[in-house]
Amino acid sequence: MVDFGVVKKLASVLRDGDWKVTVTSLVTGAKRLTSDRQGQTLINIEPGDTRKRYFSLAFDIGTTGVRGQLLDLNRGRVLAEGVDYNGQISYGEDIITRIAYCQRPGGLKKLQQAIVATINGMIGKLLAEAKVKVEEVAHMVVAGNTTMVHLFLRLEPKYIRLAPYTPTVSTAPLVRANSVGIELAEHVYVYTLPSVASYVGADIVSGVVGSGVYQRKKLTLYMDIGTNGEIVIGNSEWMVAASCSAGPAFEGGGVRHGMIATDGAIEGFDINPSNFEPAISTMGDTKPKGICGSGLINIVAGLLEAGVISQNGKFNIDLPTKRVRRGSDGYEYVLSWGGETQIGKDIVITEVDIDNLIRAKAAMYAGCQTLVKGVGISCADLEQVIIAGAFGSHIDVEKSITIGLFPDIPRDRFIFIGNGSLLGARLTSFSTDIVDDGGRVAKMITNLELSENVDFMNNYVAALFLPHTNASEFPSAKKRLDKLPK
Amino acid sequence: MVDFGVVKKLASVLRDGDWKVTVTSLVTGAKRLTSDRQGQTLINIEPGDTRKRYFSLAFDIGTTGVRGQLLDLNRGRVLAEGVDYNGQISYGEDIITRIAYCQRPGGLKKLQQAIVATINGMIGKLLAEAKVKVEEVAHMVVAGNTTMVHLFLRLEPKYIRLAPYTPTVSTAPLVRANSVGIELAEHVYVYTLPSVASYVGADIVSGVVGSGVYQRKKLTLYMDIGTNGEIVIGNSEWMVAASCSAGPAFEGGGVRHGMIATDGAIEGFDINPSNFEPAISTMGDTKPKGICGSGLINIVAGLLEAGVISQNGKFNIDLPTKRVRRGSDGYEYVLSWGGETQIGKDIVITEVDIDNLIRAKAAMYAGCQTLVKGVGISCADLEQVIIAGAFGSHIDVEKSITIGLFPDIPRDRFIFIGNGSLLGARLTSFSTDIVDDGGRVAKMITNLELSENVDFMNNYVAALFLPHTNASEFPSAKKRLDKLPK
C-alpha cells in the first residue's frame, strides 16, 4: 500500500531526485515482512539517498514523569534523552483524579493536549540537542500505563475504573503522529505497545519485553516501581501480573520536597549516628533542589537505622539535634539548610512524607506477596528480581530491604534496569521482531486483579511498618535494627 | 483492520447500544471480500441497528460542470441528483489554463478548495432534498478526467501537460473525505475511479464500466462529449481510447449565452422555413435563460437546414427577418426576445458561438475517424455507438449527423446514456464487483495519443465545415442540404 502523502509528492520528488529516491516503508511486525510483502505501506519518499539519516523516538508516558529518547536507527544508539513532568499533573496527581476530570466537558481533550504539549516540548529539545531535523524522524514508539495510553490517544478512559475494568483498547491501532497533535512530519506513525488490562498496561508489557523475562526459563519477579506499581512473576512459559496503586511517592509526588529523578534531586544519604548530621549527594552533583524516589528510600532507611525515626515512621523527638523539629505538617528532619539549597529554603522530610512512602512500599510489597502466594511459591524461590522504575538510578538494595520494599533474599539475585518501559519502547523501535514479541507478551500475561482481593488488603495493612509487622520476613533488616538502643 | 475513529468511540457506542451495534466495513473490491477477510477495514460503529439508513454519494467532476447523486444503497436507487458549475471556472475555462494556474504559489490549493466548495454545496442540497443526515453517508465515489481528479486530490498536475504526459497517479489511493475537505463524517472514504492516461481519465473508465462496453462482444464506439471529448472503440476483448480537446462549447462554455444543461436552457429548436421564426423549448419548461450543448446542436442544425447559416457557419444576411442582425461579435440570430427571457435581454447565437461549436464537433469527429482508421475498420463496421455526455438529455441523432458530429450510419445503432461517468460512479458505489471491473477496464484500455498525430490534424481541418468538407461521408445530411435553394 502507498500512503496518500507519498502519492502527493511523488511526481516532484521523482524529478527532484532525478529518479533516484529513498522510500520509507512501515512494517508493523517481522512476520509480515517475510510472509506478506503486501503488508508493507510506503509512508515516505525523498529525493536522493537519505538512508544515513534515519531516526526514531521512544517515549514512556508515566503518570508523573515522561521520559523520551531520540534513537539513531542505523547505529542502534541513543542520541539524546530527556525527562519532564507529565503536563497533566495540574489536573490531578493520580490516575483516578484524571479519569474523573475527563468526565467534565472538554476534560479529555484538555488532558490529551497537556500530555501532547509535554511530549512536543521534549521532542524539540531532543532534536535540537542531537542536531536531527524533524523530518528525519521515521517513527515513534510509545509505552505507558493503560490510562496514560488512553489519554494520549484521546480514548474514553471512564471504563478503566468501573468494574469489570475494561479498557477501550488493549492494542491501540497505529495512528499518525499528526492526528494526535504530535509535531512530527506528516508521514510519521506512532506505535503504542499493547496492554494486558486496565491496570497492567503497555508500560509493563514493554518492561517485560525490554528485560527479556519472556525469553528465559529463570523464575523472575519483575517490579516496576512508580505511581502505579506493577508486578510480574513468571518466565518464558507463563506470566502473572498485578497492579498495586502505590501512589506518587516514588516519583516525588505527595512529598513536600519531592521531585522526579533529575539534576538537583537528593539521592544519596548517610547519617552520622553520633550527631545525626546528614551527608547528602545529589544527581548532577549540584546544590540540592528536592528529593527523588530513590533518595526518599535511602533517607527513610538511614533515619530508621540511626534511630531518628521509629518503625512506625514517627520521629524520635528527644534527640540532641536541631535537624528534627516541628514544622507545618508535624515533625520533620532538615536535610539541607536553606543557604545550601537551590530553592533558598530548607529541604526537609516530614512525617507525612514518610507515611506516604510507607504506604507506597506497603502496596508494592503486598502485591508482591499476594502474587507469590497466588502462584504457589515463596519469595525464596525467586531466581531473579528485576527492578524497574524511573525513580532514580542508584537505588540501594540493602536500604530498600531495610524499609521493606524488596523481599529479603540474596542480594545477587537483584538486577536494576532503570526505566523498563522506555527500554522496551527503545528495543521495539529498533526491531520488528520485538514488535511481534510485544503482542505475544501481552497475550501471554494473566492479570490478577488485586483491588478487591482480601489477601492483598491484609498483606497491605501488615506491611504498613518499617520493614514489616511480621519481622521474620526481613531477618537481615531485623538484625540491624535490633542493634539500636531501645 | 479497525480505523482509529472506531476505536475512539467504541467504549461509549457499545454501551449506548446496550452491546448491540452496527458496524460499517470498507471493502474495496469483490475479490478481497471472498478470499481475504483481512482486507476489510472497520470504519464506523453505531449504537443499535442502523442498517436501514445506508447511503452514498456519486460524483462526476467535469471541467465545466459537476454532477452528483445521492444513492440509497439498500434499494439501489437515486434519491436526489444535482448539477452545478465547477467553481474552478473562474480560474480558467479549460484544463491547460488550470494546470498553468497551479504553477502560481498557492494555485493548486485554491483550485482544490474551489472544487471542494462546489461539491460541499451540492452535498448539502442533496442531503436536504432527500432528508438524509450527513452521518448516514457511508462512502463517496468520484469520477472525472485525470486533471480534475488530480486537482480534487491536490496532486501536482504539471506533468499531465508535459510530454510524455505522465500523470502523478493513474490509480489514486482511497482517501478520507475529511482529509481533502469534503464535509462528510470522519469515517467516510472517497473512492476515485482509475484512469488510463493523462487525457483518458477516470471519467472514460467510469463510462465504459457504466455502459458495459467491456462486457459485450459488439464492436462499439463510445463517445463522451464534453469539454474534453473522449472516444473509445472496442469490445470485451480489446479497447483503444483517445482524447480530443473539444473545448467547452458542448457544456455552454465560449458561447455568449451558453449554460450547462439545467432548468431554463434552450434545448429544443425548430424554425419556420418561410419566416425564419423559431419555436424553442427549454429544460424544465421555464422561460429561457441560455443555451445548453444539445440546444446548440439543434439550433445550428436547424439554422443550417433552413439556410439561415451556410455550411461554413456564416449567416445569410439577406433573409427577410429581424432575427438575423449585427451584434457586438459580428452577426447573430435572436432566439428569444428580451421580454420573453429570464435574463431580461435577448438570447442570441452568434457567429463566434457557431464557430466554437464547429471546432468542438470537428475535434470529436476527427478523433473518431482517426481511431476508427487506426484500428483498421470503417465507421460502417460499428455495431453500436454509445453517446455519453452531460450536455443535454434530448440530443437529436439526426441533427447531430447534420452538423457532422456523429458518423452517418444507421440510426438504430445509437444509444444515449447521458452522463456515462456518473453512471459508472453510481454502479461502482452499488457493487464491489464493479470496483474490480473499474481496475480491469483501466488496465485493458490502450491509449492512442492524438496531440501530435498528423492524421488527426488533417481530419480536424477537414471537419471544420457543416457537416464536413468531404460531403460523401455524410450522404443523408448532404441529401437534405442539397434541397436548399442555392
Side-chain angles (χ1 to χ4, degrees):
Chain A
M1 249 178 55
V2 179
D3 259 9
F4 188 44
V6 173
V7 174
K8 267 184 169 165
K9 46 183 181 171
L10 190 61
S12 58
V13 169
L14 281 169
R15 289 163 179 92
D16 289 351
D18 197 18
W19 308 91
K20 288 184 187 69
V21 296
T22 305
V23 298
T24 309
S25 78
L26 177 75
V27 183
T28 53
K31 278 179 202 142
R32 284 222 175 163
L33 183 61
T34 48
S35 72
D36 173 19
R37 290 210 149 260
Q38 299 299 322
Q40 288 187 46
T41 302
L42 284 194
I43 58 169
N44 198 19
I45 182 167
E46 295 163 289
D49 186 345
T50 65
R51 284 174 297 175
K52 282 192 181 162
R53 306 287 295 172
Y54 184 38
F55 307 97
S56 72
L57 288 158
F59 272 87
D60 166 54
I61 306 179
T63 310
T64 307
V66 179
R67 278 108 192 148
Q69 293 180 330
L70 175 65
L71 310 174
D72 182 334
L73 292 172
N74 284 318
R75 291 182 230 165
R77 282 211 316 222
V78 178
L79 293 182
E81 59 188 318
V83 58
D84 199 355
Y85 283 103
N86 185 330
Q88 297 170 340
I89 288 177
S90 54
Y91 301 96
E93 288 208 343
D94 58 35
I95 278 178
I96 300 299
T97 326
R98 292 196 204 157
I99 294 177
Y101 188 87
C102 290
Q103 302 322 305
R104 302 190 195 181
L108 176 55
K109 192 174 167 188
K110 267 192 205 162
L111 290 189
Q112 201 247 358
Q113 287 170 342
I115 180 58
V116 165
T118 300
I119 293 174
N120 281 336
M122 292 174 70
I123 291 176
K125 282 183 202 156
L126 293 172
L127 293 177
E129 191 186 327
K131 296 197 175 67
V132 168
K133 289 184 197 139
V134 68
E135 63 270 21
E136 295 175 331
V137 174
H139 69 253
M140 177 167 164
V141 175
V142 165
N145 64 57
T146 308
T147 303
M148 289 305 113
V149 166
H150 275 59
L151 298 184
F152 171 63
L153 298 174
R154 204 183 286 184
L155 297 173
E156 176 58 73
K158 183 162 63 173
Y159 305 102
I160 290 177
R161 65 171 194 144
L162 298 179
Y165 313 108
T166 313
T168 295
V169 288
S170 300
T171 303
L174 271 178
V175 297
R176 275 180 192 278
N178 279 346
S179 75
V180 291
I182 293 294
E183 289 160 359
L184 288 170
E186 198 197 337
H187 67 271
V188 174
Y189 283 84
V190 179
Y191 173 77
T192 311
L193 275 111
S195 18
V196 176
S198 276
Y199 293 106
V200 177
D203 50 353
I204 204 81
V205 169
S206 190
V208 168
V209 166
S211 62
V213 177
Y214 69 109
Q215 292 170 320
R216 287 188 289 270
K217 295 228 156 144
K218 272 192 180 173
L219 182 58
T220 303
L221 167 67
Y222 178 94
M223 287 177 90
D224 189 351
I225 296 175
T227 306
N228 301 284
E230 286 149 335
I231 299 165
V232 181
I233 293 183
N235 58 19
S236 56
E237 280 161 28
W238 57 273
M239 281 184 270
V240 179
S243 157
C244 30
S245 186
F250 290 122
E251 297 191 69
V255 173
R256 171 92 67 86
H257 289 109
M259 62 180 286
I260 51 175
T262 181
D263 283 1
I266 297 176
E267 194 173 38
F269 178 81
D270 268 310
I271 187 165
N272 183 329
S274 54
N275 62 7
F276 307 106
E277 282 299 297
I280 60 169
S281 61
T282 60
M283 292 181 70
D285 286 325
T286 65
K287 281 189 180 181
K289 208 159 107 184
I291 312 167
C292 66
S294 55
L296 197 61
I297 293 168
N298 293 337
I299 292 163
V300 172
L303 294 176
L304 180 67
E305 289 182 10
V308 179
I309 58 171
S310 62
Q311 285 187 277
N312 61 6
K314 302 298 173 202
F315 280 102
N316 180 348
I317 55 173
D318 302 327
L319 299 177
T321 170
K322 283 183 183 168
R323 298 244 171 203
V324 176
R325 68 185 188 192
R326 202 172 181 97
S328 55
D329 284 350
Y331 289 99
E332 60 191 25
Y333 176 87
V334 181
L335 291 159
S336 187
W337 300 107
E340 300 154 5
T341 69
Q342 277 189 49
I343 58 174
K345 52 182 183 181
D346 300 350
I347 293 177
V348 302
I349 179 165
T350 69
E351 271 186 9
V352 173
D353 298 343
I354 296 168
D355 198 45
N356 279 332
L357 179 69
I358 292 176
R359 282 192 276 145
K361 73 95 191 170
M364 290 302 305
Y365 186 76
C368 185
Q369 268 189 308
T370 313
L371 216 53
V372 160
K373 196 182 153 198
V375 300
I377 60 167
S378 80
C379 282
D381 298 325
L382 297 169
E383 296 171 90
Q384 184 174 262
V385 178
I386 297 176
I387 305 297
F391 52 108
S393 42
H394 299 102
I395 196 155
D396 188 306
V397 185
E398 211 56 56
K399 288 181 173 165
S400 300
I401 293 173
T402 297
I403 67 161
L405 171 61
F406 296 163
D408 195 350
I409 59 173
R411 305 330 186 220
D412 60 3
R413 297 189 194 166
F414 287 86
I415 298 169
F416 295 87
I417 61 165
N419 186 326
S421 176
L422 187 58
L423 172 64
R426 180 169 72 241
L427 297 184
T428 300
S429 182
F430 285 141
S431 159
T432 49
D433 283 303
I434 295 181
V435 174
D436 291 339
D437 289 354
R440 205 151 50 81
V441 164
K443 288 202 185 95
M444 201 178 147
I445 296 178
T446 303
N447 176 38
L448 192 69
E449 182 58 50
L450 295 185
S451 63
E452 285 162 21
N453 183 305
V454 177
D455 266 358
F456 173 72
M457 287 313 295
N458 294 338
N459 287 334
Y460 173 70
V461 172
L464 291 170
F465 203 69
L466 296 170
H468 200 273
T469 52
N470 179 4
S472 67
E473 297 220 6
F474 291 87
S476 63
K478 184 175 185 297
K479 215 152 118 191
R480 267 198 302 278
L481 297 177
D482 282 349
K483 289 183 194 151
L484 283 173
K486 293 289 160 182
Chain B
M1 249 178 59
V2 179
D3 258 10
F4 188 45
V6 173
V7 174
K8 269 183 165 166
K9 46 184 182 170
L10 191 62
S12 58
V13 169
L14 281 168
R15 289 161 178 93
D16 289 350
D18 197 20
W19 307 91
K20 286 181 189 70
V21 295
T22 305
V23 297
T24 309
S25 77
L26 176 74
V27 183
T28 51
K31 279 179 203 142
R32 284 224 175 160
L33 183 61
T34 49
S35 72
D36 174 18
R37 290 210 150 260
Q38 300 298 324
Q40 286 186 49
T41 303
L42 284 193
I43 58 168
N44 197 19
I45 183 166
E46 296 164 289
D49 186 345
T50 65
R51 284 175 295 175
K52 283 191 182 163
R53 305 287 295 172
Y54 185 38
F55 307 97
S56 72
L57 287 159
F59 272 86
D60 167 53
I61 306 179
T63 309
T64 306
V66 179
R67 278 110 195 145
Q69 293 179 330
L70 175 65
L71 310 174
D72 183 333
L73 292 171
N74 284 317
R75 291 182 228 163
R77 280 208 321 217
V78 178
L79 293 182
E81 57 189 317
V83 57
D84 199 355
Y85 283 102
N86 184 329
Q88 297 171 340
I89 288 177
S90 54
Y91 301 96
E93 289 208 341
D94 58 35
I95 278 178
I96 300 299
T97 326
R98 293 198 204 154
I99 294 178
Y101 189 86
C102 291
Q103 301 323 307
R104 301 189 197 182
L108 176 55
K109 192 174 168 190
K110 267 192 204 162
L111 289 189
Q112 202 248 359
Q113 287 170 341
I115 179 60
V116 165
T118 299
I119 293 173
N120 282 335
M122 291 173 70
I123 290 175
K125 282 183 202 159
L126 293 172
L127 294 175
E129 190 186 326
K131 296 197 174 68
V132 168
K133 290 183 198 143
V134 68
E135 63 270 22
E136 295 174 331
V137 174
H139 69 252
M140 178 167 166
V141 176
V142 165
N145 64 57
T146 308
T147 303
M148 289 305 112
V149 166
H150 276 59
L151 298 184
F152 172 62
L153 298 173
R154 205 181 288 184
L155 297 173
E156 175 59 71
K158 185 162 61 172
Y159 304 102
I160 290 178
R161 67 171 192 142
L162 298 180
Y165 312 110
T166 314
T168 295
V169 288
S170 299
T171 303
L174 273 176
V175 296
R176 276 180 192 278
N178 280 347
S179 75
V180 290
I182 293 294
E183 289 160 359
L184 290 169
E186 197 197 338
H187 67 270
V188 174
Y189 283 85
V190 179
Y191 172 77
T192 310
L193 276 111
S195 17
V196 176
S198 276
Y199 293 106
V200 177
D203 50 352
I204 205 82
V205 169
S206 190
V208 167
V209 166
S211 61
V213 176
Y214 70 110
Q215 293 170 320
R216 286 188 291 270
K217 295 228 156 146
K218 270 193 183 174
L219 182 58
T220 302
L221 167 68
Y222 177 95
M223 285 176 91
D224 189 348
I225 296 175
T227 306
N228 299 285
E230 284 150 337
I231 299 164
V232 181
I233 292 182
N235 59 18
S236 56
E237 280 162 28
W238 58 272
M239 280 185 271
V240 179
S243 156
C244 30
S245 184
F250 290 121
E251 297 189 68
V255 173
R256 171 94 65 86
H257 288 107
M259 62 181 285
I260 51 175
T262 181
D263 283 0
I266 298 175
E267 193 172 36
F269 178 82
D270 269 310
I271 186 165
N272 182 329
S274 52
N275 62 7
F276 308 105
E277 282 299 296
I280 61 169
S281 60
T282 60
M283 291 181 70
D285 286 325
T286 65
K287 279 190 182 180
K289 210 160 104 182
I291 312 166
C292 66
S294 55
L296 197 61
I297 293 168
N298 293 336
I299 292 163
V300 172
L303 294 177
L304 179 67
E305 288 181 10
V308 177
I309 57 170
S310 61
Q311 286 184 278
N312 61 6
K314 301 300 171 200
F315 279 102
N316 180 348
I317 56 172
D318 302 325
L319 299 177
T321 171
K322 281 183 185 169
R323 299 247 171 201
V324 176
R325 69 184 187 192
R326 201 171 182 98
S328 55
D329 284 349
Y331 288 100
E332 60 191 28
Y333 175 87
V334 182
L335 291 158
S336 187
W337 300 107
E340 300 154 4
T341 70
Q342 279 189 47
I343 57 174
K345 52 182 180 178
D346 301 350
I347 293 176
V348 302
I349 177 164
T350 69
E351 270 184 12
V352 173
D353 299 344
I354 295 169
D355 198 47
N356 278 332
L357 178 68
I358 291 176
R359 281 190 276 147
K361 74 93 191 171
M364 290 302 303
Y365 186 75
C368 185
Q369 267 188 309
T370 313
L371 216 53
V372 160
K373 194 182 154 196
V375 300
I377 60 166
S378 78
C379 283
D381 297 327
L382 298 168
E383 295 172 273
Q384 185 174 262
V385 178
I386 297 176
I387 305 296
F391 52 107
S393 43
H394 299 101
I395 195 154
D396 188 303
V397 186
E398 211 55 56
K399 287 179 175 166
S400 299
I401 293 173
T402 296
I403 67 160
L405 170 61
F406 297 164
D408 194 351
I409 59 173
R411 308 326 188 225
D412 60 2
R413 296 189 194 164
F414 286 86
I415 298 168
F416 294 87
I417 61 167
N419 187 326
S421 175
L422 186 58
L423 172 64
R426 178 168 76 241
L427 298 183
T428 300
S429 182
F430 285 142
S431 160
T432 49
D433 283 303
I434 295 182
V435 174
D436 290 339
D437 290 353
R440 205 150 49 81
V441 164
K443 287 201 186 99
M444 201 179 146
I445 296 179
T446 304
N447 176 37
L448 191 69
E449 181 59 49
L450 294 186
S451 63
E452 287 163 18
N453 182 305
V454 176
D455 267 356
F456 174 72
M457 286 314 295
N458 292 337
N459 287 334
Y460 173 70
V461 173
L464 291 170
F465 203 68
L466 297 170
H468 200 274
T469 51
N470 180 5
S472 67
E473 296 219 5
F474 292 87
S476 63
K478 182 176 187 298
K479 216 152 116 191
R480 269 197 302 279
L481 296 177
D482 283 348
K483 288 181 196 153
L484 284 173
K486 293 291 162 178

